[in-house]
Amino acid sequence: MEIWINPACSKCRSALSLLDAEGTEYTVRRYLEDVPSEDEIRAVLERLGLEPWDITRTQEAAAKELGLKDWPRDAGARDRWIAALAAHPKLIQRPIITADDGTAVVARSEDAVRDALSR
């Protein structure tokens, strides 16, 4: 299992603490330093069953600068959203856990982390 984190994020630290408490083996990806490619973002979205706008932190300064709130949320705009996430990784919701069964979860709650652990 891999977890995408920002070490400054309290929800990321909580998820790591829970994984550690459960004795889970995982790999940490500091996605602000090791920025995912557009293809990696597409793969995670497929695993999540979500669209790029579903995992975008729209309140970040970069989102406001890009005017994301006015971008269409449809298939035609999907690649534009993915490109924005790759160019501005701070916009990616966190933490994201990719589970061993090929799925993924946005692990912002203890329940979501436990869901990933059950897979």
Side-chain angles (χ1 to χ4, degrees):
M1 132 179 338
E2 182 177 78
I3 181 168
W4 291 9
I5 68 156
N6 173 352
C9 168
S10 64
K11 295 207 182 284
C12 293
R13 291 191 307 270
S14 294
L16 291 173
S17 293
L18 183 54
L19 292 175
D20 289 340
E22 295 294 326
T24 306
E25 290 186 28
Y26 60 89
T27 302
V28 170
R29 179 169 187 173
R30 294 178 179 214
Y31 71 94
L32 297 179
E33 299 163 15
D34 182 8
V35 178
S37 68
E38 290 183 26
D39 286 341
E40 288 175 305
I41 293 169
R42 281 186 190 87
V44 164
L45 287 167
E46 186 173 324
R47 292 175 79 164
L48 287 166
L50 296 173
E51 293 296 338
W53 45 86
D54 296 327
I55 66 161
T56 300
R57 299 172 54 84
T58 57
Q59 297 306 311
E60 291 288 336
K64 292 175 182 177
E65 289 170 19
L66 293 169
L68 289 182
K69 70 176 183 146
D70 298 323
W71 288 15
R73 296 179 180 212
D74 59 30
R78 190 171 199 268
D79 286 342
R80 182 179 181 197
W81 282 84
I82 291 169
L85 293 174
H88 306 277
K90 196 167 190 179
L91 295 176
I92 300 172
Q93 193 60 259
R94 71 221 175 210
I96 294 176
I97 297 175
T98 55
D100 292 336
D101 71 350
T103 62
V105 296
V106 178
R108 294 191 55 77
S109 69
E110 183 177 324
D111 287 344
V113 175
R114 291 197 182 283
D115 180 38
L117 288 170
S118 71
R119 297 175 183 210

